[in-house]
Amino acid sequence: MGAFVVEGQHRLQGTVRINGAKNSALKLMVAALLGQGVFNLENVPRITDVHTMAGVLECLGARVKFKDHAMEIEVASLHGHTPEHLVKSMRASVQVMGPLLARLGWVEVALPGGCAIGTRPLDIHLAGLQQMGASISVNEEVLVARAPSGLHGADITFRYPSVGATENIMMAAALARGETVIRNAAQEPEIVDIQDFLNAMGAQIEGAGTSVIRVKGVKDLGCTDYVVMPDRIEAGTYLLAFLVTGGQGTLTHVQPQHFSSLLNVVRSMGGEIEASSDKVLVSSPKRFRPLRVVTGPYPGFPTDLQPQIVVAATQAHGRSELRETVFDRRFGYLSELSKLGAVVKQRHQDVVVYGPTKLRGAHLEAGDLRAGAALVLAALAAEGESRVLGSHHVDRGYEAFEDKLRALGAHISKVE
Ligand code: UD1
């Protein structure tokens, strides 16, 4: 297993260019399956999840070329068997369900894998597709969905604003007969990106970014060129890397309004933030105030920044409180943080952090993507050398993490 080797307590400084969003790029790649022709995506992050998704698309019959940050996807005829070994490694591939069902009238997907951060059922996705006329069965960990005479529009109310289910139903509805309304839809910026992408292909969708999305089904969809939106979670991770090392720096190619919940928390801790249309400057305070954070669906505080903000809390003067409301079991990394000396207490979905602590280097193991990034931030703040085992988790979602950090003055390398 690969590891990051970090010598901590070097202040990060400088400018970091933020890549395209993992959680948008993966979905746009899937949405292309609804169309026909050659797509050119720009600002695609070079991360392993994107390579895995390219493999899924190719197994389904699409052709994918990926050079630098440009991806060409050619979609002609497709078939509906998704490759089990690939789907199991990445949850986002469950998103092929909606588009393939809409396009082919049937789909088989192996039950998905992805980050080990709690129970992640699919009931909202499946109930929505059933309301649109799909029949669904599960056979030995393989989901089979059929709609031989096509999907039809429906008025669907989600019991929770699931990001994945919103995207899945939007995509299925784009080619269904009649109008679909999704109520209590997720409002994440990535949903707006998919809406814009699908509409550029010829779909008729409105309302993304609000809780009600309306989709008028069309007969077929074409292709388009598109620039993937910036990754707000990558941006937030670097912003917190500056902060926990007492540094200062600039994030470029970002949309600060997408992570204003984080900017507000950092300001409340005493950090100085200057945000313009596509840049954020951050400077660390000498003394951090403690924080109170509750994660939640957008525009709430993103669960994907929860481990990183807890690391920041270890450097705050006083008692910080965090509640995780999106995923259960997203606290596996806390025992690793304690190895560095952090004083953290967890009870169910609540965590209390007592700071500031002088963290000291240790050997750590990452269990998932965001936890891995957070442990690297903690190692950057800690005195002495740390090893963070499990760099492959981080590579799933951060392009050239160690190179970008090194360019900001971090002493970090990756060993295989
Ligand atoms: C997506 C993101 C993930 C991010 C999350 C929340 C991708 C690949 N992943 O995940 O990085 O952390 O949004 O912003 O884009 N749920 C159900 N039933 C369902 C679907 C979801 O109970 O059918 C629950 C989940 O268990 C979880 C919550 O809803 O507790 C949120 O899940 P959801 O918004 O669907 O997240 P993902 O799309 O999996």
Side-chain angles (χ1 to χ4, degrees):
M1 215 195 281
F4 294 107
V5 181
V6 181
E7 191 204 282
Q9 293 213 320
H10 295 278
R11 262 192 197 147
L12 298 196
Q13 265 184 357
T15 298
V16 58
R17 183 188 172 134
I18 298 306
N19 289 105
K22 160 186 172 288
N23 286 346
S24 180
L26 293 172
K27 313 302 175 66
L28 302 185
M29 290 171 73
V30 169
L33 294 173
L34 285 164
Q36 195 87 26
V38 180
F39 295 78
N40 288 294
L41 296 184
E42 283 174 45
N43 203 29
V44 181
R46 295 196 66 87
I47 52 178
T48 53
D49 267 9
V50 163
H51 290 288
T52 309
M53 186 59 93
V56 172
L57 261 52
E58 281 178 334
C59 286
L60 292 169
R63 201 183 45 74
V64 183
K65 277 195 221 155
F66 191 17
K67 193 163 177 269
D68 301 325
H69 294 102
M71 179 175 283
E72 186 185 288
I73 305 173
E74 189 178 344
V75 183
S77 62
L78 299 173
H79 53 82
H81 286 288
T82 57
E84 184 176 342
H85 63 289
L86 292 177
V87 176
K88 280 212 181 284
S89 69
M90 184 181 49
R91 181 173 169 90
S93 41
V94 77
Q95 304 300 133
V96 300
M97 223 166 33
L100 288 183
L101 194 57
R103 183 166 172 157
L104 305 172
W106 71 281
V107 62
E108 280 186 13
V109 281
L111 291 172
C115 278
I117 55 174
T119 41
R120 297 176 101 181
L122 292 175
D123 60 304
I124 304 170
H125 300 243
L126 301 183
L129 292 173
Q130 279 167 328
Q131 259 189 274
M132 297 175 73
S135 65
I136 292 170
S137 57
V138 181
N139 268 337
E140 292 176 19
E141 303 228 331
V142 178
L143 241 159
V144 185
R146 287 177 199 285
S149 46
L151 295 171
H152 54 75
D155 196 320
I156 302 169
T157 302
F158 286 167
R159 67 166 175 80
Y160 183 89
S162 153
V163 175
T166 302
E167 293 163 339
N168 226 339
I169 300 302
M170 267 169 89
M171 289 191 274
L175 285 185
R177 281 189 311 280
E179 191 184 53
T180 301
V181 184
I182 309 171
R183 300 181 197 276
N184 197 22
Q187 301 179 40
E188 268 68 1
E190 291 77 11
I191 310 270
V192 179
D193 221 26
I194 296 205
Q195 167 178 281
D196 293 347
F197 181 73
L198 288 167
N199 284 348
M201 290 164 65
Q204 292 189 21
I205 309 177
E206 58 176 45
T210 74
S211 64
V212 181
I213 298 177
R214 289 174 198 276
V215 186
K216 285 203 181 89
V218 296
K219 270 215 152 48
D220 45 42
L221 292 167
C223 55
T224 186
D225 296 347
Y226 200 81
V227 183
V228 179
M229 63 176 273
D231 195 316
R232 60 196 170 99
I233 307 299
E234 190 199 20
T237 303
Y238 284 103
L239 194 146
L240 291 171
F242 285 120
L243 207 71
V244 299
T245 60
Q248 58 177 50
T250 305
L251 315 173
T252 69
H253 297 82
V254 291
Q255 289 186 17
Q257 73 275 19
H258 289 169
F259 49 102
S260 49
S261 58
L262 171 69
L263 299 182
N264 290 339
V265 171
V266 170
R267 285 192 183 105
S268 76
M269 294 175 76
E272 266 178 50
I273 301 279
E274 258 177 66
S276 61
S277 60
D278 61 353
K279 262 193 211 150
V280 171
L281 276 71
V282 57
S283 333
S284 310
K286 283 223 159 59
R287 194 182 155 96
F288 293 113
R289 288 190 287 271
L291 55 88
R292 261 168 197 252
V293 166
V294 180
T295 67
Y298 192 84
F301 190 91
T303 174
D304 280 355
L305 287 173
Q306 181 254 100
Q308 300 89 316
I309 199 79
V310 167
V311 171
T314 67
Q315 302 309 303
H317 288 249
R319 180 183 196 271
S320 293
E321 292 174 17
L322 179 132
R323 171 170 291 175
E324 169 61 57
T325 73
V326 181
F327 290 111
D328 50 0
R329 301 210 297 271
R330 199 169 196 171
F331 290 124
Y333 69 92
L334 289 179
S335 54
E336 301 301 291
L337 269 191
S338 308
K339 291 181 188 165
L340 296 168
V343 187
V344 286
K345 289 206 172 113
Q346 179 213 343
R347 194 157 181 272
H348 306 302
Q349 297 297 100
D350 290 297
V351 170
V352 177
V353 184
Y354 297 92
T357 332
K358 196 167 168 62
L359 303 176
R360 291 182 203 283
H363 282 211
L364 311 171
E365 184 167 346
D368 68 65
L369 165 59
R370 305 303 172 187
L375 293 178
V376 169
L377 298 198
L380 291 171
E383 186 183 85
E385 189 180 283
S386 297
R387 260 175 189 258
V388 182
L389 206 63
S391 54
H392 63 283
H393 289 298
V394 175
D395 294 339
R396 282 189 43 217
Y398 293 87
E399 177 175 326
F401 197 43
E402 68 283 9
D403 296 339
K404 288 172 86 166
L405 287 170
R406 211 180 304 116
L408 299 172
H411 290 207
I412 179 170
S413 57
K414 191 156 81 179
V415 292
E416 289 308 325

